[in-house]
Amino acid sequence: MLVMKFGGTSLGDKEKIDVVVSLIRSRLDLEPVVVCSAHAGVTDLLLDGARAAAEGKPDLQPIAEREHTLLASLGLRKDLVDDELERVGQMLEGLSLLGELTPRSLDTVAAFGERMSVKAIAALLRRRRIPATAVQADEAGLVTDDRHTRASPLPAAYRNLRRSLAAVKGVPVLTGFIGRDEDGNVTTLGRSGSDFTATIVGRAIGAQEVQIWTDVSGVLTADPRLVPEARPVEHLTYAEASELAYYGAKVIHPATIQPAVEKEIPVRILNTLDPQAPGTVISPSRKRRGNKVTSIASKSGIRLVNIVSGRMLGQSGFMSKVFDAFREHDVVVDLVATSEVSVTVSVDHAEGLDRVVADLQKVALVEVEEGNALVAVIGERMREDSGLASAVFDAVGAEGVPLRCISYGATKTNLQVVVPQTLMPSAVRALHRVLFPEPQGV
Ligand code: ASP
Ligand code: MG
């Protein structure tokens, strides 16, 4: 069995959807489960619509128009998703009466993008004589925790999905992105969460492969907006891909790899606009030839939190106090560097940080530094090259970019530096020149 996940751009217009249908048709013998995102732009329209509604301006029109135009271009009945549109309309009215927006209501509204797209794709497949059924993941048992806007599946989700999908007639066309908590509230897995759904389903059904069909030919050696000569990476290990996604490569949702790891299911990133391109395959291990570094990731909007405590630092319990404060307020820490008298951590989420700082100030001097960016050099085989760290520091230093913070964990899959935000692009370009000098064969 195979999971084929199609992202928003792949489902963005008739031309691409035609390609999607032919890709599904060509793999019918592998019994695909299709996972769909919302059509490009629809999730944003829904989220913007919810926010505007909470400010007293409910307007279903842009959402309805986008869906109706697309259905018409596909030759499908315009009223196919009218039930869903009606429910969105009612919710927007409700939000405007309440005048407030909770993460829970945001999730309920956002979920409709996928609810509508699976109906359209399943209907189109049937029209093209491929038996198919639209499946709503929340109804098919994708139970999650109740962390709205960034939920994770509960163990029962796998069992439930396996059972529900086995009972579906024809190709199951399943909503990405959405789930339901144990109280029955709709949750979402976070922006781009359909990738995560794809591997959750892959694990549930024991798929031979999970294919993520997107609008780029796989993972690139760096962000192409910063490095125009960035090239696709043929092969990544699970560890490398997780680091990359976590540190800002937009190609896959950061949690995507987890479910695949447990059953060692390969995840292949493919381009709907160029289906013959090899893409990137992510699997447990990688051939021993080729580049030791696989990619450079970068993430803007990083804050450094410097925590200084002359008296307490060496004493046992200080570190745990520090991390307790971050955990208590649900602030995720990226990088940690310590010295005799201080701890520096980097965070990319301002939310909750004020409360962490207030707590830490009870035991230490705390300073928050904004305007930084994180650059991560990733490659599981970096540890084999003792000169690599100095090559990285030299390349960045030669550009006159000061290093604000450095971290190189014992596993040596990931060397991270924090640099001033404004200098990050030149740091990334310099690193790419040094680490990927000529076409590689990773
Ligand atoms: N539709 C959701 C989003 O736009 C989820 C996804 O596309 O994966 O973030
Ligand atoms: Mg995506």
Side-chain angles (χ1 to χ4, degrees):
M1 292 181 90
L2 181 69
V3 176
M4 300 178 80
K5 179 260 168 176
F6 296 97
T9 15
S10 301
L11 303 173
D13 57 43
K14 175 181 186 312
E15 199 188 327
K16 298 195 193 80
I17 295 175
D18 281 342
V19 177
V20 166
V21 171
S22 65
L23 289 169
I24 295 170
R25 189 190 300 283
S26 70
R27 286 158 174 82
L28 284 177
D29 54 333
L30 298 173
E31 297 177 71
V33 172
V34 171
V35 174
C36 292
S37 290
H39 304 295
V42 172
T43 308
D44 286 324
L45 287 176
L46 288 162
L47 293 171
D48 292 347
R51 289 187 197 104
E55 284 162 13
K57 293 189 276 300
D59 183 8
L60 183 65
Q61 189 53 32
I63 303 159
E65 204 178 293
R66 172 87 172 101
E67 289 290 331
H68 284 152
T69 312
L70 200 68
L71 290 175
S73 74
L74 296 171
L76 295 172
R77 290 172 52 158
K78 265 179 84 180
D79 62 4
L80 181 70
V81 298
D82 279 3
D83 286 350
E84 285 74 15
L85 287 171
E86 195 183 322
R87 278 159 67 201
V88 175
Q90 287 161 355
M91 278 172 353
L92 296 184
E93 293 299 333
L95 288 171
S96 87
L97 289 175
L98 281 171
E100 68 162 25
L101 194 58
T102 60
R104 191 163 106 186
S105 39
L106 263 183
D107 274 354
T108 309
V109 175
F112 277 92
E114 273 69 10
R115 294 199 192 290
M116 296 190 284
S117 79
V118 294
K119 281 183 88 173
I121 301 303
L124 187 67
L125 288 170
R126 290 193 297 267
R127 165 75 59 89
R128 309 260 174 98
R129 308 207 180 293
I130 300 173
T133 306
V135 183
Q136 304 291 331
D138 51 337
E139 289 163 18
L142 205 171
V143 279
T144 70
D145 55 26
D146 60 2
R147 290 169 28 123
H148 285 283
T149 73
R150 48 180 169 153
S152 295
L154 299 177
Y158 299 101
R159 222 180 19 251
N160 297 345
L161 283 169
R162 182 165 55 240
R163 211 174 293 147
S164 316
L165 291 170
V168 168
K169 291 209 170 53
V171 176
V173 182
L174 179 76
T175 52
F177 185 48
I178 69 179
R180 179 147 84 185
D181 72 12
E182 286 176 304
D183 297 328
N185 300 304
V186 174
T187 53
T188 67
L189 308 177
R191 294 309 304 265
S192 301
S194 304
D195 297 336
F196 194 12
T197 307
T199 52
I200 293 168
V201 172
R203 181 181 150 182
I205 64 172
Q208 67 189 70
E209 182 170 288
V210 173
Q211 299 184 339
I212 310 262
W213 290 89
T214 179
D215 54 358
V216 290
S217 295
V219 174
L220 301 183
T221 48
D223 182 342
R225 287 164 305 180
L226 301 175
V227 183
E229 62 278 16
R231 2 174 224 276
V233 180
E234 211 178 290
H235 197 168
L236 288 171
T237 65
Y238 289 140
E240 290 165 342
S242 306
E243 299 270 7
L244 258 174
Y246 187 72
Y247 288 103
K250 291 281 178 297
V251 183
I252 47 168
H253 179 286
T256 304
I257 300 305
Q258 286 161 18
V261 170
E262 286 155 58
K263 287 213 170 163
E264 300 204 344
I265 301 169
V267 177
R268 198 178 289 274
I269 305 190
L270 294 156
N271 190 352
T272 309
L273 310 174
D274 183 9
Q276 302 309 323
T280 301
V281 63
I282 306 168
S283 63
S285 63
R286 165 161 84 79
K287 286 173 272 183
R288 293 197 58 79
R289 60 179 180 79
N291 218 327
K292 296 200 171 61
V293 172
T294 48
S295 184
I296 302 167
S298 45
K299 189 147 107 176
S300 302
I302 297 293
R303 288 170 175 75
L304 283 181
V305 186
N306 297 312
I307 305 148
V308 184
S309 173
R311 271 184 313 122
M312 271 288 287
L313 192 75
Q315 293 173 28
S316 66
F318 182 72
M319 283 296 197
S320 75
K321 271 209 183 87
V322 168
F323 291 109
D324 278 351
F326 283 94
R327 200 193 48 209
E328 173 80 24
H329 302 293
D330 214 4
V331 174
V332 178
V333 167
D334 281 343
L335 169 156
V336 182
T338 59
S339 78
E340 258 319 278
V341 291
S342 73
V343 189
T344 301
V345 305
S346 79
V347 301
D348 73 344
H349 245 79
E351 204 190 318
L353 189 57
D354 287 352
R355 276 164 283 155
V356 175
V357 170
D359 277 6
L360 290 174
Q361 274 168 339
K362 294 176 193 150
V363 292
L365 282 171
V366 186
E367 183 195 60
V368 179
E369 223 182 276
E370 305 199 355
N372 289 298
L374 193 141
V375 178
V377 174
I378 291 159
E380 232 180 86
R381 293 178 47 219
M382 280 195 314
R383 67 181 82 120
E384 294 165 16
D385 187 343
S386 54
L388 220 133
S390 65
V392 166
F393 302 145
D394 286 350
V396 176
E399 288 296 301
V401 179
L403 295 177
R404 305 284 310 114
C405 201
I406 297 166
S407 163
Y408 195 23
T411 59
K412 295 197 168 32
T413 300
N414 183 0
L415 192 162
Q416 306 159 78
V417 296
V418 174
V419 298
Q421 172 92 48
T422 49
L423 298 175
M424 182 268 273
S426 43
V428 172
R429 280 193 281 270
L431 284 172
H432 199 272
R433 274 197 304 275
V434 172
L435 300 173
F436 300 98
E438 66 217 82
Q440 48 157 144
V442 173

